[in-house]
Amino acid sequence: MSCTDKFVSVTELPGTPISLEQLEKNHSRYSWAAGFCTNKHVLELGCGAGQGLGVLGENASTLIAGDQSQYLLEIAKSHYRGRVDFVRLDAQSLPFSDASFDVIVMFEAIYYLPSVTNFIAEARRVLKLGGTVLIATANKELYDFNASPYSVKYYSVKELGRLFVSESFETEFLGETRVDGISRRQKVLRPFRKFAVALNLIPKTMRGKRWIKRLVYGKLQRMPAELTAEKNSYPLPKPIPGDRSDTEHKTIFCVATLK
């Protein structure tokens, strides 16, 4: 299977070496999202290779997964073998009828969208009243933040709040992985990371970042093809204020509910 899709180089594929922290974060966020999905019609956008779909689908009434990359969808399809419906799509123009879903999940993908306003308008259209959008995004307000090479724009807590409120959503926010709780090695290396980001020295691809991950995190794990629903095994994101900047967490979550 050949591939010319640029996003594949920045996507964690099954078997990709990742840190234990990243593996735990994936377990945590999908376990958290699964709590919204019981007996619901669920859509995951930017599903990538689909590692979290088994967790989301465990209790969902229906689950559809979408991505713009056919290459990534084929990887996911080959693993799930009919357990999940996959659709190639653009999150800014969804191929679904009005009021089709109860829950939309988008993890670590909103910053790739050229028009987030179009996405939110589409989310409003395809969600049922009272439905929710679950967003996870890297926190751009950390002083050593490093953007993905193909990102368009990252959004802060206050920016996400304004965007969703403008489309009749109510929002609440949570934070994941406190920076004051990271390992001593990570704390020591943060100033060097900031310096490397400023000089554009951070590799752009997952393959190129492996040596940095080993330096910062030590021994790496392999990304599984499917995460398991290990309830209560990982710390879940914690509520944070929605009216101020957050510089204490690596990842920001937004729960936007259509009113």
Side-chain angles (χ1 to χ4, degrees), residues 170-236:
E170 290 184 357
T171 57
E172 58 182 297
F173 293 90
L174 305 96
E176 177 187 68
T177 311
R178 289 185 62 91
V179 293
D180 60 8
I182 60 178
S183 68
R184 185 172 183 275
R185 179 187 291 186
Q186 288 189 64
K187 290 177 181 177
V188 169
L189 291 174
R190 285 189 76 194
F192 297 96
R193 173 184 167 90
K194 179 182 180 183
F195 177 77
V197 170
L199 294 182
N200 199 31
L201 298 177
I202 302 291
K204 305 300 183 185
T205 66
M206 291 294 178
R207 181 182 295 273
K209 290 178 180 177
R210 287 178 189 174
W211 69 271
I212 295 179
K213 290 181 180 179
R214 291 191 184 99
L215 173 65
V216 175
Y217 298 103
K219 184 179 180 180
L220 301 181
Q221 321 292 312
R222 294 284 178 179
M223 171 62 85
E226 180 178 349
L227 300 169
T228 55
E230 301 179 36
K231 294 180 175 61
N232 303 318
S233 297
Y234 301 96
L236 298 179

Side-chain angles (χ1 to χ4, degrees), residues 111-157:
Y111 40 79
Y112 293 123
L113 299 178
S115 177
V116 170
T117 56
N118 284 356
F119 156 64
I120 295 176
E122 279 291 88
R124 180 189 180 194
R125 181 182 66 79
V126 304
L127 276 177
K128 300 174 185 178
L129 193 63
T132 54
V133 181
L134 307 178
I135 299 291
T137 181
N139 187 358
K140 72 171 188 175
E141 297 186 302
L142 299 185
Y143 84 93
D144 57 343
F145 169 73
N146 179 48
S148 171
Y150 303 120
S151 59
V152 176
K153 177 178 171 61
Y154 286 80
Y155 298 89
S156 67
V157 168

Side-chain angles (χ1 to χ4, degrees), residues 4 108 190:
T4 58
E108 303 291 357
R190 285 189 76 194

Side-chain angles (χ1 to χ4, degrees), residues 47-50 53 71-81 86:
C47 69
L53 293 171
Y71 182 89
L72 294 174
L73 290 176
E74 292 300 328
I75 292 174
K77 284 181 184 179
S78 68
H79 173 77
Y80 287 96
R81 298 183 179 275
F86 292 94

